[in-house]
Amino acid sequence: MTRSPTTVNVVDVVTLGESMVAFLPTRPGRLADVPSFERGIGGAESNVACVLAALGHSTRWVSRVGADGFGDHLVARIAGYGVDTGSVRTDPARPTGVYFRTAADRATDAHEVAYYRAGSAASAMSVTGTDLTAVRAGRVLHLSGITAALSPQCLELMRELTAPRPGRPLISFDVNHRPGLWAAADGAGVLLELARAADVVFVGEDEAEHTWGVTGGPAAIRALLPEPALLVVKQAAQGATAFTRDGAGELLRPAAGGPAAGATGATLPDRSRERGSAGCGAPAPSPASVPRPATDPPACEPAAPACEPAPPVFEPAPHVDVVAPVGAGDAFAAGFLSATLRGLPVKHRLRHGHLMAAAALTNPADLAAPPGRGHADRLAALDDEAWGRLRLGPGWTQAERAPEEANTP
């Protein structure tokens, strides 16, 4: 039963998307040779919710699971992080998705992943079958391109949630292009459409090249995606670049009351008309091979301060002794959003993203415990020279002081 608007608590971040039970190998080798697996959980959007909850934010995960033990396990594990799972629907006719993977790095030919998610309960998420009141009751709504690929009704739901409307939550969108999920060659155009409708967008530099054929670095990606108030281009081990418009550094402003007010006393500006290009009026350039949405979002008015571009901010990533790369992108988004909710400068938002990614990179599981907020704040506040010397390895999140920073003032 859908809750009424008066009974839904407004949280800092709502995430929506599929989570699956993950079976992780107990030793390296091919799937055909691995004798046993340990059970875990995996899901881009729920990963973000869990990390944010561990960092002290109020979060809600909205999804659909099967009426089976795997669904029960998912909901219980995610709720165990402090995430509100009250709006997760149970589907008696469809199963919870599961997947198996090898221990090898995804970048190598030895890596294998076997997904069993076709026809899953989450693929049946829809506009009419989802508690939209609960989904919209957050300061931020975090989505990813994975959901759009699950089914036509999931894509319809994504378009409904990202459509411009008064009082819409701040939309955070991680492109997360998974070619294997798209049945047709329309994934690139759909992901571009959704990214252009969002307020905050996360995309990898290599991902943008593979998805849209964009080369030329972060600036070229910004030229393709001028609409988001804040665009974060992840550049693997090099670091990340953030593009903002003047006035977009603080996307969350003090509350003046009203239904959009958040649990931490903030509300969101009405961005239903704030959709402009970097030049504020000129159409966004795009490669000829990339289909544009049927209708572009309207350009913002010339006098709107959100249309003024600000200089990009690049922040290098710390040196990390990588154990497994799975989940790093989700952790980065969580760290960046956490710092955004706290009103930190863009430079520190990027550093918090790097630190949460490092927590995932130094842990073999898909979902790793982040460092404490105080620990992360202290590292993010290092001067540039000390930050450049920082090296993080397994166990650093539990250490009061990482050994590699012993000589850091």
Side-chain angles (χ1 to χ4, degrees):
M1 180 177 179
T2 302
R3 304 179 192 177
S4 66
T6 58
T7 61
V8 177
N9 293 326
V10 178
V11 298
D12 288 334
V13 180
V14 177
T15 70
L16 176 143
E18 180 174 32
S19 293
M20 296 178 288
V21 171
F23 288 94
L24 315 177
T26 55
R27 73 180 191 192
R30 302 184 308 152
L31 286 178
D33 301 327
V34 174
S36 60
F37 297 81
E38 294 181 349
R39 184 176 63 179
I41 63 174
E45 299 84 4
S46 61
N47 285 350
V48 172
C50 289
V51 174
L52 281 166
L55 291 172
H57 300 283
S58 56
T59 63
R60 174 180 298 122
W61 171 59
V62 180
S63 189
R64 197 175 184 93
V65 299
D68 48 42
F70 290 145
D72 293 343
H73 176 69
L74 274 176
V75 174
R77 281 288 306 276
I78 294 169
Y81 280 85
V83 178
D84 175 3
T85 58
S87 299
V88 176
R89 299 286 176 86
T90 300
D91 190 324
R94 299 175 180 84
T96 304
V98 301
Y99 72 94
F100 297 77
R101 69 170 173 86
T102 57
D105 190 319
R106 282 185 175 178
T108 70
D109 293 335
H111 180 72
E112 298 174 77
V113 181
Y115 288 103
Y116 299 90
R117 72 193 308 177
S120 68
S123 69
M125 288 188 294
S126 65
V127 173
T128 57
T130 302
D131 187 347
L132 297 184
T133 299
V135 173
R136 290 173 171 139
R139 298 174 66 195
V140 178
L141 172 58
H142 180 74
L143 307 167
S144 92
I146 296 173
T147 304
L150 296 180
S151 67
Q153 56 264 42
C154 282
L155 175 55
E156 180 187 13
L157 175 61
M158 290 286 286
R159 284 173 166 154
E160 167 67 21
L161 294 175
T162 56
R165 67 175 66 245
R168 187 186 82 168
L170 183 145
I171 300 295
S172 168
F173 180 71
D174 193 336
V175 172
N176 255 330
H177 183 212
R178 304 290 173 84
L181 289 179
W182 292 95
D186 57 358
V190 169
L191 293 174
L192 184 61
E193 169 196 347
L194 295 173
R196 284 174 167 164
D199 301 296
V200 180
V201 173
F202 300 94
V203 64
E205 184 176 18
D206 57 346
E207 181 180 41
E209 180 177 357
H210 295 153
T211 306
W212 301 311
V214 180
T215 59
I221 299 172
R222 182 54 162 173
L224 178 67
L225 285 170
E227 295 88 352
L230 208 162
L231 170 69
V232 180
V233 179
K234 297 173 290 184
Q235 297 163 266
Q238 295 178 32
T241 300
F243 295 86
T244 68
R245 292 194 295 270
D246 287 346
E250 293 187 13
L251 289 171
L252 302 166
R253 68 189 184 195
T264 57
T267 188
L268 300 172
D270 179 7
R271 282 175 300 280
S272 59
R273 299 182 62 199
E274 290 181 13
R275 293 289 179 273
S277 66
C280 220
S286 63
S289 60
V290 177
R292 293 178 64 87
T295 58
D296 282 336
C300 55
E301 299 175 3
C307 289
E308 295 298 326
V313 177
F314 171 78
E315 191 60 29
H319 300 286
V320 178
D321 297 328
V322 178
V323 173
V326 181
D330 306 329
F332 181 96
F336 189 93
L337 290 175
S338 173
T340 298
L341 287 161
R342 297 168 61 198
L344 300 183
V346 173
K347 177 187 181 76
H348 283 206
R349 299 182 198 187
L350 291 170
R351 286 192 174 186
H352 278 272
H354 288 319
L355 290 169
M356 299 308 133
L361 291 168
T362 53
N363 187 291
D366 286 19
L367 182 58
R373 180 181 287 188
H375 189 183
D377 282 345
R378 181 170 54 79
L379 294 180
L382 293 172
D383 60 45
D384 290 346
E385 182 180 355
W387 177 263
R389 294 199 307 266
L390 190 62
R391 186 178 189 117
L392 304 171
W396 75 270
T397 59
Q398 284 74 47
E400 181 179 350
R401 191 170 180 84
E404 294 81 358
E405 51 164 329
N407 297 321
T408 298

